[in-house]
Amino acid sequence: MAANNRISEVVIRRLPLYYRHLESLEKSGVTRISSAELGEQIGLTASQIRQDINFFGAFGQQGYGYNVRELKTHLAGILGLDRGYHMIVVGVGNIGRAILNYQSFYDRGFRIQALFDANPALHGTRLRGIPVAPADTLEAYLSKHAVDIGVICTPREFAQQTADILVAGGVRAIWNFAPVQISVPPQIPINHVHLTDSLLVLSYKLAHSEQAALPSEEDF
Amino acid sequence: MAANNRISEVVIRRLPLYYRHLESLEKSGVTRISSAELGEQIGLTASQIRQDINFFGAFGQQGYGYNVRELKTHLAGILGLDRGYHMIVVGVGNIGRAILNYQSFYDRGFRIQALFDANPALHGTRLRGIPVAPADTLEAYLSKHAVDIGVICTPREFAQQTADILVAGGVRAIWNFAPVQISVPPQIPINHVHLTDSLLVLSYKLAHSEQAALPSEEDF
DNA sequence: TAGATTGTTAATCGATTAACAATC
DNA sequence: TAGATTGTTAATCGATTAACAATC
């Protein structure tokens, strides 16, 4: 599906935005939309939206625009949401639990099969119905189960070794929340979520915003 | 500090990476580094690094490179980390707690003063020493305390109204974790953390990776 | 000093926007 | 059909890379 050859990263990163917005349009009962309307709603130009979509195919219709449900379905396919994914989460501290609680992941086909944690108090318990196994049983688990996405929510010092075990065990992609750089073989897609980076960008904007000039250092 | 006029977003988003890397170099005892070495280590060209840094000033020295500690200090200033920020977190579910547990935010000057939650069981308790107040006391709290950054970790349906209260109460920037689009006045910097987007990008990459062609649909 | 490496300008590359013929 | 809006090519804009003189 999809003429995928070398789509640029900036385009790929806009796809989830398109997808989310189409989902919400569909929920509101909107059945068709033009690139101009869509652009206005999500803050992009109509040109850019048409360009982006046309990297993958001609899903619109001249004189009409796009069928919301149809375009959404195409995007789901392009994003790989038309298949199911098996996920495991290693480390069920707060971030691990936050992910577990995201119902929308489940709805989009991302199924968490198992949880792993070093804390013995959690072993044998279930969180949201999913069993928590000892972290040192991860390797054995992977030898018996096919896992698509491994989510790393361990403390930073265990992140790399966890990634190594995941990759050796055949996990096909890594989603890393540990605040440390992790290296994996180049064919394994990996996404890092650096919360700190997001906060520092916000800090930059705050420090350089108009308002920033006015208030004094500390007013507490 | 800093010739800040209209630095492009892509440059700004690289600053935290530079900063984090310099921190780690400093910890390892590295005192000087050239743009070529730095580029190799973080995967950018030497040219790009020099360009990025020079938007803010000439912090290097010909024939020598950059002094790690000095450049880090400059970047801290540029990012606004040389001042302290007062933060509050609204909603202390898993994401709220995860943020609370990020020691590194505290170390960089982001101080969480207060927590708010709708759950009565939490009222009057403390998490990591920080008191949890009822969500409906947020407005009163803001009338008495100056807050720089408001972190929204509420369920999606309360996110916009929380943002409205924060902005009306004088909060200067918003960090939003609720999976919904929030609107605030244009002068208020806002950063959205969309975990779903990150997962969908990973899904895209997995669906279009080399390996993806080989395995069958479901092998479980 | 000679060697190294920055700061900065110029050249290239890629992404966005504009324009318009095709067509529903 | 006439009007609307896509798909797509061309023009513009911006970001990255290359090059090199300045200088430590």
Side-chain angles (χ1 to χ4, degrees):
Chain A
M1 170 167 319
N4 61 327
N5 305 299
R6 287 311 98 218
I7 304 294
S8 88
E9 185 80 15
V10 288
V11 174
I12 294 168
R13 281 210 289 258
R14 280 192 293 266
L15 298 179
L17 171 61
Y18 295 144
Y19 184 73
R20 272 195 285 117
H21 192 73
L22 287 164
E23 263 189 336
S24 106
L25 284 174
E26 195 186 20
K27 252 179 224 143
S28 325
V30 178
T31 57
R32 61 175 272 199
I33 193 154
S34 68
S35 58
E37 291 171 290
L38 188 52
E40 182 146 347
Q41 291 168 15
I42 61 181
L44 301 173
T45 64
S47 240
Q48 184 166 40
I49 288 170
R50 292 204 303 279
Q51 288 271 26
D52 283 355
I53 290 171
N54 279 80
F55 277 120
F56 300 98
F59 304 138
Q61 191 167 94
Q62 282 98 331
Y64 174 90
Y66 299 90
N67 177 296
V68 170
R69 204 157 75 88
E70 207 178 293
L71 183 55
K72 197 202 84 170
T73 304
H74 280 300
L75 281 168
I78 291 160
L79 285 165
L81 302 178
D82 54 351
R83 53 204 82 180
Y85 291 108
H86 293 308
M87 282 173 55
I88 60 174
V89 175
V90 185
V92 286
N94 295 115
I95 305 178
R97 284 164 205 243
I99 287 159
L100 200 57
N101 286 330
Y102 255 70
Q103 178 64 30
S104 68
F105 294 158
Y106 186 87
D107 296 340
R108 292 187 175 103
F110 299 93
R111 301 294 154 84
I112 299 176
Q113 299 177 311
L115 306 170
F116 295 87
D117 201 282
N119 180 359
L122 293 172
H123 299 158
T125 67
R126 280 168 181 269
L127 293 171
R128 292 211 145 213
I130 301 158
V132 183
D136 55 21
T137 64
L138 178 56
E139 204 167 344
Y141 179 90
L142 293 172
S143 71
K144 293 201 282 293
H145 302 271
V147 173
D148 299 301
I149 301 172
V151 187
I152 300 177
C153 300
T154 66
R156 71 191 315 149
E157 54 272 32
F158 299 110
Q160 182 62 59
Q161 69 194 63
T162 299
D164 294 342
I165 293 169
L166 290 171
V167 170
V171 170
R172 298 166 60 227
I174 303 278
W175 201 20
N176 175 45
F177 286 79
V180 64
Q181 202 58 30
I182 279 179
S183 51
V184 295
Q187 78 276 14
I188 306 287
I190 182 167
N191 255 205
H192 301 270
V193 178
H194 281 298
L195 294 185
T196 299
D197 289 6
S198 168
L199 183 56
L200 297 198
V201 168
L202 189 62
S203 170
Y204 175 94
K205 289 178 181 167
L206 186 45
H208 296 81
S209 68
E210 292 308 304
Q211 17 156 13
L214 314 166
S216 64
E217 307 284 73
E218 289 274 330
D219 50 1
F220 188 55
Chain B
M1 168 170 316
N4 61 327
N5 306 299
R6 285 311 96 217
I7 303 295
S8 89
E9 185 80 15
V10 287
V11 174
I12 295 168
R13 281 210 291 258
R14 280 193 293 266
L15 299 179
L17 172 61
Y18 295 145
Y19 184 73
R20 272 195 285 116
H21 193 74
L22 287 164
E23 263 189 338
S24 107
L25 284 175
E26 195 186 17
K27 253 179 222 144
S28 324
V30 179
T31 56
R32 61 176 272 201
I33 193 155
S34 68
S35 58
E37 291 172 290
L38 187 54
E40 183 146 348
Q41 290 168 16
I42 62 181
L44 301 173
T45 64
S47 242
Q48 184 167 39
I49 289 171
R50 292 205 302 279
Q51 288 271 27
D52 283 355
I53 290 172
N54 278 79
F55 278 120
F56 300 98
F59 303 139
Q61 192 168 94
Q62 282 99 328
Y64 175 90
Y66 299 90
N67 177 296
V68 170
R69 204 157 77 89
E70 208 178 295
L71 183 55
K72 198 203 80 171
T73 304
H74 280 300
L75 281 168
I78 291 160
L79 285 166
L81 302 179
D82 53 350
R83 54 204 81 180
Y85 291 108
H86 292 307
M87 282 172 58
I88 59 174
V89 176
V90 185
V92 286
N94 295 116
I95 306 179
R97 284 164 205 240
I99 287 159
L100 200 57
N101 286 330
Y102 255 72
Q103 178 64 31
S104 68
F105 295 158
Y106 186 88
D107 296 340
R108 291 187 176 103
F110 298 93
R111 302 293 155 84
I112 299 175
Q113 297 176 313
L115 307 170
F116 296 87
D117 201 281
N119 180 1
L122 292 173
H123 300 157
T125 68
R126 282 169 180 267
L127 293 172
R128 290 212 146 214
I130 301 157
V132 183
D136 56 21
T137 64
L138 177 56
E139 204 166 344
Y141 179 90
L142 292 173
S143 71
K144 292 200 284 291
H145 301 271
V147 173
D148 299 300
I149 302 172
V151 187
I152 300 177
C153 300
T154 65
R156 70 192 315 149
E157 54 272 31
F158 300 111
Q160 181 64 59
Q161 69 195 65
T162 300
D164 294 342
I165 294 169
L166 290 172
V167 170
V171 170
R172 299 167 58 229
I174 303 279
W175 200 20
N176 175 44
F177 285 79
V180 64
Q181 202 57 32
I182 281 180
S183 51
V184 295
Q187 78 275 16
I188 305 288
I190 182 167
N191 255 206
H192 300 270
V193 179
H194 281 298
L195 293 186
T196 299
D197 289 7
S198 169
L199 183 57
L200 296 198
V201 168
L202 189 61
S203 170
Y204 175 93
K205 289 178 182 168
L206 186 45
H208 296 80
S209 67
E210 293 307 306
Q211 19 155 13
L214 315 166
S216 63
E217 307 285 71
E218 288 274 329
D219 50 2
F220 186 54

